[in-house]
Amino acid sequence: MADDDSGEIEYVLFQGPLNGVEVNLQKNARLAEAGLLPAKELVTDALLRRAERIRLEPKGNRSIVTLYVDGIPYPGGRMPRPQGLAITQMIKLLAGLDVRERAQKQSGGLKAELEEKPYELRVEAAPVGEGAERLTITVRNPKEELESPEDLGFTEPMRALIRKKSKERTGLMLVCGPPFAGVTTTAYGIVRTIDAYIYTIYSLADTAGRELNNVPQFEPNPGDDLQTTLTRLERMDVDVVLLDPLRDLETVKTLFANHERMCYVTEFAAKDGAHGIAQLIKWMGSPQPVAEAVRLIVHPKLIRTLCADCKEAYRPNPKLVGKVGLPPETRVLYRPPRPDPDDPDYEPCETCGETGYIGRAGMYEVIEMTPEMKELVATNPAPPAIKQLARKLGMQTLQQEGLRLVAEGKTSLEELQRAFRPAQA
């Protein structure tokens, strides 16, 4: 299904749902009349503003739009609640979802195009009570997606460690973090770091259309549980398996029970690596299986990168360099522009929309299950003790990674401070 507009404004072109469901706009003519143009206006504005996520949520008698650009929320406008409802239902229809269902969470997606750029819009509709729903659209441009470990910012020591652990062909390599922190992309980056020409790698995960070269999708037999599927993979001499996120205790225990048979790459939600280990211990009911099965755990954090067209160079105070832990040889740092409001020649940067930043880079905390870390984890330690030992053993930390990006001129000290500022309650 595709639609067309002949007006002067170039709106986004919706090109049909990702699930292949046929969308009949004629059958839903009243909804299309009320919601199609407003939905196009909303999505077009968001894409032109480089939003990676759109949230439309009812608040009282209004619906509030929030756009997330490089991870930062910006107001996207307000509208009467009925219009917000029409947009939500329209987007659900275009994504092949059931517009009559409002009591259960639904997920889907649709293809779109704007200014000859292709997009995939991942759609989630979640009930918020009284028949209302919160609509979340996550934007993906397949042509601009970062794929290689180098593109993702994996350091050479980090890539070498992943390759080293993959040689064991056993255990769990895990990624953890909060939603929208690049967790899934990091898990795919780990898989791409492993040489698919040397090791046999299969995917059991729903990759949502993202390709993993030389990593075929394995289709379980109808009715097979995870244990049966893993047994089939082992008989095929598979070395590494990519799995969907860990969400239930049965899956966790199955993987831990089979950790000596293959290497598993997967993800789960946790504050950071140390809290992730604590979560695994809680799931398993004992620290010993965690110490034995986990090979490494990676926690990503995204930080905005400076706009190359408008960033300003400056000489930092040498005392500041030493205080924050930058390399002592640091002579030049960069920051967003600080324009003089009285300067008649000032022209705002069109590339970044005057934010001073465009895009984001990944920082990665890496905890390796070394003999020393195994010994500590076996005692069921608190997360701060895990972090302390990781630092003592010289493992990669987020703070080190952030300072490296500052020293390389990719981000600013101000952005680093913002990224590590405690979240407001």
Side-chain angles (χ1 to χ4, degrees), residues 58-308:
K59 296 283 187 181
N61 60 358
R62 312 287 287 178
S63 288
I64 310 299
V65 179
T66 305
L67 303 181
Y68 292 80
V69 181
D70 297 331
I72 305 297
Y74 294 92
R78 298 168 177 258
M79 64 187 72
R81 184 170 175 141
Q83 184 177 359
L85 173 62
I87 292 175
T88 298
Q89 296 302 98
M90 190 70 240
I91 293 292
K92 285 170 59 180
L93 177 67
L94 294 169
L97 304 180
D98 185 355
V99 296
R100 296 166 297 179
E101 175 60 72
R102 300 186 190 180
Q104 300 291 328
K105 180 186 290 187
Q106 294 188 73
S107 299
L110 65 149
K111 297 178 182 178
E113 182 179 299
L114 179 64
E115 296 182 343
E116 300 183 354
K117 288 184 179 180
Y119 295 93
E120 286 185 4
L121 308 179
R122 293 284 165 178
V123 175
E124 180 181 280
V128 293
E130 300 180 354
E133 295 172 287
R134 178 178 59 250
L135 179 72
T136 304
I137 304 173
T138 303
V139 179
R140 172 177 170 244
N141 183 337
K143 290 191 175 181
E144 295 180 359
E145 190 168 271
L146 301 178
E147 294 188 348
S148 73
E150 293 84 354
D151 290 341
L152 294 174
F154 285 19
T155 61
E156 177 50 40
M158 179 178 170
R159 299 198 300 272
L161 178 59
I162 293 170
R163 291 191 290 265
K164 170 187 169 185
K165 295 300 178 182
S166 66
K167 289 181 180 179
E168 300 177 17
R169 295 179 168 86
T170 61
L172 283 75
M173 289 199 279
L174 301 167
V175 184
C176 69
F180 307 110
V183 174
T184 299
T185 300
T186 302
Y188 294 174
I190 289 177
V191 172
R192 290 185 175 113
T193 302
I194 303 170
D195 193 333
Y197 291 101
I198 297 177
Y199 304 100
T200 303
I201 310 173
Y202 272 88
S203 172
L204 287 175
D206 177 7
T207 57
R210 296 161 78 171
E211 292 187 9
L212 291 166
N213 292 333
N214 302 309
V215 179
Q217 191 74 26
F218 186 80
E219 296 296 335
N221 290 327
D224 280 359
D225 59 12
L226 179 59
Q227 180 63 62
T228 304
T229 300
L230 295 181
T231 300
R232 287 181 60 204
L233 287 165
E234 184 186 23
R235 290 171 180 167
M236 295 168 56
D237 292 327
V238 173
D239 300 308
V240 181
V241 182
L242 173 67
L243 297 111
D244 280 323
L246 302 178
R247 294 192 177 97
D248 63 87
L249 186 57
E250 181 180 355
T251 298
V252 173
K253 292 194 171 183
T254 299
L255 291 184
F256 274 81
N258 290 272
H259 78 270
E260 294 183 344
R261 304 170 77 174
M262 285 169 287
C263 175
Y264 307 102
V265 179
T266 186
E267 63 184 85
F268 64 104
K271 179 181 177 181
D272 53 35
H275 286 82
I277 290 174
Q279 177 63 57
L280 293 171
I281 293 173
K282 182 178 178 181
W283 277 337
M284 294 302 296
S286 170
Q288 197 62 44
V290 178
E292 292 299 325
V294 174
R295 297 294 179 263
L296 60 82
I297 185 164
V298 178
H299 165 54
K301 190 176 185 68
L302 298 175
I303 190 168
R304 292 186 298 173
T305 51
L306 287 162
C307 176

